[in-house]
Amino acid sequence: MTQKHVFISGRVQGVYYRDYTRREAEKLGIKGWVRNLPDGRVEAVFEGPEDTVENMVAWCYQGSPRSEVIKVEVAKSNPQLKENFIDFKITR
């Protein structure tokens, strides 16, 4: 199991990016959350098997059909700070 903290920049708010992220995460069995940030970026935490989390991060470069992703920043989360997620949520 691994966890990645991701920040997505570009035209990613108001284009259903979070909803498409939730759908893809549920399809892959990823747990965690996604939210909009005040600065226009989207932030997400993905938790699951390493190869599946990598697939989810790769999907972030594509995003929703109306999004225009410019940049995806990825940080491996600190294992001591890992949460025990039970599903994937859109949060505030």
Side-chain angles (χ1 to χ4, degrees), residues 9-78:
S9 302
R11 191 174 73 156
V12 292
Q13 290 191 15
V15 293
Y16 299 99
Y17 193 96
R18 292 176 302 156
D19 187 54
Y20 275 82
T21 301
R22 180 190 52 79
R23 291 181 201 182
E24 187 67 16
E26 288 175 350
K27 185 173 97 178
L28 294 174
I30 297 286
K31 296 182 181 4
W33 53 264
V34 63
R35 67 180 175 186
N36 284 340
L37 293 175
D39 65 5
R41 295 180 299 161
V42 168
E43 177 183 21
V45 172
F46 303 127
E47 184 176 272
E50 190 162 354
D51 60 334
T52 307
V53 169
E54 290 300 329
N55 288 339
M56 189 68 215
V57 171
W59 178 89
C60 289
Y61 288 89
Q62 170 194 334
S64 67
R66 294 176 50 206
S67 66
E68 292 177 17
V69 177
I70 293 172
K71 184 170 150 184
V72 177
E73 300 171 75
V74 182
K76 189 168 185 175
S77 295
N78 184 336

